Amino acid sequence: MSDKKALLTNQATGKSVELPIRSGSVGPDAVDISALYKQTGMFTFDSGFVSTASCESSITYIDGNEGILRYRGYPIEQLAENSSFLEVAYLLLYGELPTAVQMATFDQNITRHTMINEALLRFFEGFHYDAHPMAMMVGVTGSLAAFYHDSLDIHDPRHREISAHRMIAKMPTIAAACYKHNMGEPIMYPRNDLGYCGNFMQMMFATPCEPYQVSPVAEKALNLLFILHADHEHNASTSTVRLAGSSGANPFACVAAGIASLWGPAHGGANEAVLDMLEEIGDVSNIDKYIAKAKDKKDPFRLMGFGHRVYKNMDPRATIIRQTAHEVLDELADSNNPLFELALRLEEIALQDEYFVEKKLYPNVDFYSGIIYRALGIPRTMFTVMFAIARTAGWVSHWMEMISDPAHRIGRPRQIYSGNALRDYVPVDRR
Ligand code: ACO
């Protein structure tokens, strides 16, 4: 901790307290208020945690004003250009890029864990045929704890590692099984001769009736999208995983909680909502009407895929996807995709609009990801599931970091109580 201090004065009492200031390796300083309640009897109030850090972390760094995203210090642009999703997952988990031998071992560990217990497959029979895949993801992921007892001692580092590997490995298998259930097709087993993304594509789109060839273009695009979605520091779902984990809950339950949090349209559900919105807009001639709706405070409509809590500049992930979207759509023979043309025009108009400029509302990663997923043949209800597969690498890395920190405590925010102060019970015949 630095010797910098902040002085907080209560003007009503004239009393001041000195608060320590903590500095990270890069990024803004933070006033440490952990002793504030003990010292003053007051809490701080920060709805939505806009100005509150809950821990130190060395996994991901974001500078929202400059549009910077780094995993373990490596710029997202370099990882997107040169790395693979599994290598990025290793980097997030262990803090360093792997040597060739470490990578081969990690790859093998993940590949060997891709199957799920046969009894778990029968869970799917209990879901309605049109169940949303995210609903199935939450349920089935949470239930993993009922099957893998041998790795549930969270105080044992090797157990934590096995659980992390299991989750990264099994998430694509569960996700593809959700899709197959919706389609009424047989669930496909993983193929260990394929890479992480290629295997996922075959579990999604192969059938037992004929051989399936993984498209290298699709595999490359998926790899890129998974890298971009792998982690994003303390977003809602990662904070949920950490908060659930802070009580000592098992990692499968924590990740299931993260999936539930991701589902919302303000978070991971945005990629699905973007395509709904683009279809609703329908045509370039309607853009002005929808921009006006987004600006109208009385109208709940928001431009989905625009705005971000942290980025007040272009989301660097959106810049990367935007650049590659053309290439991917061209290669997948979907370059005349009218929704992509509409998205580009909408982006152009919104970026010049005073309201969006003034509020620093730029396109986020999900403005484009759905368009690419669609071109890969992935249905809309699966978009957030795709996000969940990738983000599992970040979730388990944060969970591991938190549990291995001896100083971690249960997360327990406070509140300002605004209900009735005290009242006497009234019998029902007098209410
Ligand atoms: N369209 C129109 N207006 C918007 C939008 C939008 N997409 N986003 C924010 N605003 C406006 C708000 O109305 C608010 O205006 P005000 O200051 O006049 O009240 C101002 O911009 C600030 O917005 P907040 O909601 O306070 O910002 P917050 O940081 O809480 O929310 C969020 C960020 C949830 C991402 C928001 O921008 C949003 O709802 N965007 C659309 C959904 C979306 O794309 N989510 C994906 C996020 S990225 C991800 O999870 C991978």
Side-chain angles (χ1 to χ4, degrees):
M1 201 175 308
S2 73
D3 50 10
K4 289 185 268 183
K5 302 259 188 269
L7 196 66
L8 180 73
T9 305
N10 182 338
Q11 292 191 331
T13 62
K15 285 193 183 147
S16 296
V17 279
E18 259 191 6
L19 299 165
I21 294 181
R22 298 171 78 116
S23 303
S25 48
V26 56
D29 288 346
V31 180
D32 182 343
I33 51 140
S34 50
L36 186 71
Y37 181 59
K38 219 184 256 175
Q39 286 177 308
T40 68
M42 279 194 296
F43 303 132
T44 54
F45 180 75
D46 182 16
S47 170
F49 309 115
V50 179
S51 303
T52 299
S54 63
C55 65
E56 279 193 16
S57 175
S58 56
I59 299 175
T60 291
Y61 174 70
I62 300 174
D63 181 332
N65 293 323
E66 297 298 323
I68 289 172
L69 170 60
R70 295 179 198 143
Y71 296 160
R72 300 283 191 184
Y74 294 101
I76 191 67
E77 294 79 6
Q78 289 183 23
L79 294 170
E81 174 83 27
N82 302 303
S83 194
S84 69
F85 172 68
L86 269 197
E87 188 181 59
V88 165
Y90 183 100
L91 173 69
L92 292 169
L93 267 178
Y94 298 106
E96 298 295 336
L97 285 169
T99 61
V101 173
Q102 287 168 330
M103 189 60 223
T105 310
F106 184 63
D107 200 315
Q108 204 176 42
N109 280 337
I110 299 299
T111 305
R112 290 225 176 116
H113 280 302
T114 49
M115 280 208 293
I116 53 177
N117 188 298
E118 208 62 14
L120 258 168
L121 291 178
R122 291 198 288 278
F123 270 41
F124 288 90
E125 290 163 20
F127 290 113
H128 203 252
Y129 74 95
D130 62 353
H132 195 289
M134 282 297 277
M136 294 189 268
M137 288 294 288
V138 174
V140 176
T141 305
S143 75
L144 290 174
F147 292 86
Y148 302 104
H149 302 130
D150 58 337
S151 65
L152 283 186
D153 179 1
I154 64 162
H155 303 295
D156 181 333
R158 181 65 188 133
H159 278 213
R160 296 200 291 266
E161 189 178 34
I162 295 171
S163 289
H165 289 178
R166 279 186 166 142
M167 265 178 289
I168 294 171
K170 293 181 196 308
M171 215 49 93
T173 314
I174 298 171
C178 294
Y179 172 69
K180 289 297 197 188
H181 178 72
N182 283 157
M183 298 297 288
E185 289 179 7
I187 286 168
M188 296 297 291
Y189 285 97
R191 262 180 53 193
N192 288 359
D193 59 318
L194 297 173
Y196 191 85
C197 295
N199 176 46
F200 174 69
M201 293 299 279
Q202 82 80 25
M203 288 192 291
M204 283 283 288
F205 299 119
T207 68
C209 315
E210 54 193 48
Y212 177 80
Q213 226 24 61
V214 179
S215 148
V217 179
E219 197 173 1
K220 190 175 151 215
L222 205 55
N223 187 59
L224 174 72
L225 286 162
F226 281 181
I227 290 174
L228 299 181
H229 281 104
D231 193 45
H232 213 232
E233 54 121 295
H234 290 258
N235 51 81
S237 56
T238 304
S239 303
T240 303
V241 170
R242 277 191 176 253
L243 194 56
S246 75
S247 70
N250 74 74
F252 302 108
C254 299
V255 169
I259 296 172
S261 170
L262 185 75
W263 195 357
H267 189 14
N271 50 16
E272 193 177 335
V274 168
L275 276 212
D276 290 341
M277 176 191 75
L278 290 174
E279 276 187 3
E280 192 184 322
I281 296 175
D283 189 79
V284 175
S285 61
N286 295 325
I287 290 180
D288 286 349
K289 186 174 109 196
Y290 279 89
I291 296 257
K293 272 166 74 64
K295 287 161 36 174
D296 181 356
K297 290 284 151 222
K298 290 189 215 109
D299 191 326
F301 176 79
R302 280 190 169 198
L303 221 47
M304 298 314 288
F306 267 77
H308 196 276
R309 169 60 64 76
V310 181
Y311 293 120
K312 302 302 168 196
N313 199 324
M314 193 78 180
D315 178 339
R317 302 166 300 173
T319 311
I320 296 168
I321 298 197
R322 190 182 190 281
Q323 279 164 1
T324 51
H326 265 301
E327 184 192 314
V328 172
L329 295 182
D330 275 349
E331 289 189 52
L332 293 170
D334 203 18
S335 53
N336 294 325
N337 181 329
L339 289 187
F340 186 50
E341 294 308 318
L342 184 62
L344 289 177
R345 188 74 189 114
L346 179 63
E347 179 200 36
E348 192 179 273
I349 294 173
L351 287 179
Q352 286 163 10
D353 189 283
E354 206 181 311
Y355 172 95
F356 288 88
V357 172
E358 192 199 308
K359 292 188 188 304
K360 300 190 171 153
L361 298 170
Y362 292 86
N364 58 52
V365 64
D366 283 329
F367 190 65
Y368 303 103
S369 62
I371 292 169
I372 301 183
Y373 284 138
R374 188 175 179 269
L376 298 180
I378 292 163
R380 202 170 305 181
T381 53
M382 284 292 290
F383 289 178
T384 315
V385 173
M386 305 301 290
F387 194 156
I389 297 173
R391 187 54 58 86
T392 296
W395 289 332
V396 294
S397 303
H398 280 271
W399 176 79
M400 296 254 284
E401 182 181 66
M402 179 184 68
I403 300 293
S404 33
D405 176 0
H408 96 267
R409 306 170 72 185
I410 186 167
R412 198 341 183 153
R414 302 303 300 252
Q415 62 166 16
I416 297 176
Y417 176 69
S418 57
N420 290 298
L422 178 67
R423 349 191 232 177
D424 287 323
Y425 180 80
V426 181
V428 69
D429 58 343
R430 282 199 269 128
R431 283 177 218 158

